[in-house]
Amino acid sequence: MSLERTLTVRVERISRETPEILAFELTHPWGRTLPGYEAGAHIDVHMPGGFSRQYSLARWSAGAPSNAASYVIGVKREAASRGGSASMHERVREGDLLAISAPRNTFPLREEAKHHLLLAGGIGMTPLLAMAQALAARGADFTFCVFARSEEHLAFADALRDLALAPHLRLHLDQGDASQRIDLHALLADRAPGTHLYVCGPGGFMRAVREAAAHWPDDALHAEYFAAPANANTTTGLPFTLKLAQRGIRVPVAADQTAVDALHEVGIDIPVSCQQGLCGTCVVEGDGEGAEHRDFCLTGSERRHKVALCCSRAKGQELVLQL
Ligand code: FES
């Protein structure tokens, strides 16, 4: 198993966005530009203490797709932190160097959409802010709904005040004016043709949106998770065999093994990062129809021909991969 190649960046600026969220601006250590990215992309951050976490890039600019002057990420200090967010909040200082991955985008804007509906809950603002900025720049038809507890808990409030976003922005504050609160069921009751929904936020918010949009077609619903839901099983299941079409060999996967572990045992290196089906690093081409998909990053149409090997298994006894 291997991690992807890393880049070194300098922590240029740390700013407090809310009592729980810090924004980190990351630049090239020698002032060069960083690899470009599309709105919705994320990076892996390898932090002090040996932790690695995925963070969405929170700002988008016209030059971002080709090369970026800096990356901005938002890090919420989680009460139940397993070390990642606490490490970023307590141990990382301005001027420090960090290793990161190049940006990857498993949450892209859909070119075929006629209208984009962006729903951001709390720290879930980060990828959706970049997407809203990209849509505003291209004059697209979109609505950006931001949910926060109060003004004090609203991250990236300065960016939200941008006049280019104002006509598209709906702000829901739990402790704010009742008349401005957004009723998810009413908002999602009817889907105008061509509308695509993008959602990112804490687990409860994601569940509420998915329930309210249960009648939407799968391919019009796009979600970015921070962590696998508590009841997700991403590691074990029935044993099966991987058939590697290009190599012409079969590799057995034991009940308590993942496909990447089994491939690693026979010397086939598949890059991994989150190992929870979130980031897309381990995704390969294959017979998606024959897979029991357990990831949280592929769309319905991608699942027909792609498989996330850190978590997904075969529906039957064999899964064909283009490896
Ligand atoms: S390693 Fe992140 S989806 Fe598999």
Side-chain angles (χ1 to χ4, degrees):
M1 220 181 295
S2 71
L3 291 171
E4 284 189 304
R5 198 172 66 82
T6 57
L7 313 167
T8 300
V9 290
R10 181 174 187 275
V11 179
E12 190 68 32
R13 193 167 300 108
I14 301 176
S15 51
R16 182 159 292 284
E17 293 291 329
T18 76
E20 299 152 331
I21 297 174
L22 293 177
F24 293 77
E25 183 174 5
L26 310 173
T27 56
H28 192 285
W30 305 309
R32 297 187 195 147
T33 56
L34 295 167
Y37 63 94
E38 298 288 342
H42 69 267
I43 53 172
D44 299 342
V45 177
H46 306 290
M47 52 194 73
F51 301 103
S52 171
R53 296 286 182 270
Q54 288 77 47
Y55 293 105
S56 297
L57 298 179
R59 302 255 176 136
W60 184 91
S61 63
S66 48
N67 50 50
S70 66
Y71 298 152
V72 176
I73 58 173
V75 180
K76 180 180 179 194
R77 185 176 177 133
E78 299 293 347
S81 171
R82 289 175 290 147
S85 66
S87 174
M88 288 296 283
H89 275 243
E90 289 167 11
R91 297 173 66 175
V92 175
R93 298 284 175 258
E94 289 182 353
D96 285 358
L97 297 180
L98 288 176
I100 65 169
S101 71
R104 267 193 312 275
N105 199 359
T106 54
F107 193 41
L109 288 164
R110 302 292 151 168
E111 294 307 321
E112 69 273 26
K114 291 192 169 55
H115 179 79
H116 305 261
L117 178 56
L118 315 178
L119 302 188
I123 186 65
M125 157 92 79
T126 47
L128 294 167
L129 174 60
M131 291 157 99
Q133 290 170 326
L135 290 167
R138 67 167 91 146
D141 186 11
F142 73 101
T143 305
F144 184 22
C145 299
V146 176
F147 296 72
R149 251 184 287 166
S150 65
E151 289 274 3
E152 191 194 12
H153 292 90
L154 188 61
F156 301 104
D158 58 334
L160 292 178
R161 284 189 206 104
D162 183 344
L163 289 181
L165 295 186
H168 309 277
L169 183 65
R170 285 186 65 187
L171 191 55
H172 168 113
L173 299 176
D174 291 344
Q175 298 166 13
D177 182 349
S179 68
Q180 290 180 6
R181 293 197 201 132
I182 300 171
D183 178 337
L184 281 177
H185 282 277
L187 179 71
L188 300 173
D190 298 313
R191 172 181 176 260
T195 301
H196 280 241
L197 170 62
Y198 309 80
V199 57
C200 185
F205 177 74
M206 303 286 274
R207 264 194 308 283
V209 171
R210 292 202 84 116
E211 279 168 23
H215 55 294
W216 284 51
D218 211 32
D219 275 1
L221 243 174
H222 314 287
E224 176 92 324
Y225 286 84
F226 299 131
N231 58 357
N233 174 7
T234 54
T235 51
T236 58
L238 294 173
F240 64 99
T241 302
L242 293 170
K243 180 179 174 188
L244 310 189
Q246 291 175 14
R247 289 175 170 84
I249 59 170
R250 286 182 163 79
V251 178
V253 183
D256 60 351
Q257 228 182 2
T258 64
V260 272
D261 288 342
L263 290 169
H264 181 238
E265 272 188 6
V266 297
I268 298 171
D269 210 16
I270 301 291
V272 293
S273 180
C274 71
Q275 299 187 62
Q276 298 182 79
L278 302 168
C279 70
T281 308
C282 65
V283 169
V284 301
E285 292 286 328
D287 171 26
E289 311 273 4
E292 181 188 313
H293 293 281
R294 296 183 175 185
D295 67 273
F296 304 94
C297 58
L298 295 175
T299 64
S301 54
E302 287 171 336
R303 284 180 165 192
R304 287 182 206 125
H305 59 99
K306 293 182 185 219
V307 185
L309 294 181
C310 70
C311 55
S312 297
R313 309 184 75 82
K315 266 187 200 154
Q317 295 186 342
E318 190 170 87
L319 178 60
V320 181
L321 302 176
Q322 293 306 320
L323 288 175

